[in-house]
Amino acid sequence: MDALRRSIHEAPLIEDDGYHYLVHPISNGIPTLDPHLMREVVNGICRVADLADVDVIVTPVTMGVHVSTAVSLVADIPLVVIRNREYGFDDEVPFDLDGEEYYVNDVSPDDNVLVLDDLTNTGVSIAAITEALDDIGATVVDVVTVIRRMESETVPMDYEVTSLVDVEVSAEGVEILD
């Protein structure tokens, strides 16, 4: 994970109303996403994720889509993107995510699912997604995020989240935790 660690240290920080954002190619799409970095991240996910029995990768419609698409291509596992738009399909399942309605399509009760995201901060998104998948009856096999921010208070959830890199972000900069 040398390229990922290096890119995190090189990524700019911006402050907005007291919150420090790590502006990173994996989680923001800027600065430019180097293919070497993406390859390292995808290979890392394929090493840490339990992919053996996964039928579908599920990711929210955020910056995790490009990472999930690349993992889908490498692992040859279909991808479902959770949308914040209703399409009205018969199997569409709505759920609340931080006060906004999101929708899961094409996940069946007998599916084994990998939940994949680019960045986890408080875990609110992952908790809502895994709860929706549980309600469908799907089996969440694994939950993986590329970068996990550790300085924020996290919500309780029923699943362990595996990350490639854990960080703490503050006004002083980014610290990569081992």
Side-chain angles (χ1 to χ4, degrees), residues 32 69 91 150 174:
T32 303
T69 300
D91 69 345
M150 301 299 288
V174 179

Side-chain angles (χ1 to χ4, degrees), residues 27-112:
S27 61
N28 300 96
I30 55 174
T32 303
L33 178 54
D34 181 88
H36 176 75
L37 172 60
M38 178 62 97
R39 203 169 8 265
E40 181 181 274
V41 165
V42 170
N43 290 336
I45 291 167
C46 289
R47 276 193 305 276
V48 302
D50 182 5
L51 299 176
D53 297 318
V54 171
D55 300 309
V56 65
I57 297 168
V58 172
T59 193
V61 62
T62 59
M63 290 308 297
V65 171
H66 62 285
V67 172
S68 298
T69 300
V71 172
S72 171
L73 289 168
V74 168
D76 202 27
I77 299 172
L79 172 64
V80 168
V81 177
I82 293 177
R83 301 294 312 252
N84 56 348
R85 175 186 175 143
E86 183 176 10
Y87 290 95
F89 296 129
D90 289 340
D91 69 345
E92 191 165 63
V93 177
F95 68 96
D96 180 77
L97 175 58
D98 219 13
E100 188 175 346
E101 193 142 62
Y102 280 75
Y103 303 87
V104 180
N105 283 286
D106 295 330
V107 175
S108 302
D110 58 340
D111 282 339
N112 293 318

Side-chain angles (χ1 to χ4, degrees), residues 13-14 19-21 149 151 167-175:
L13 290 178
I14 60 168
Y19 185 81
H20 301 304
Y21 290 91
R149 288 184 65 157
E151 76 278 359
V167 301
E168 286 186 354
V169 181
S170 68
E172 290 76 42
V174 179
E175 180 183 353

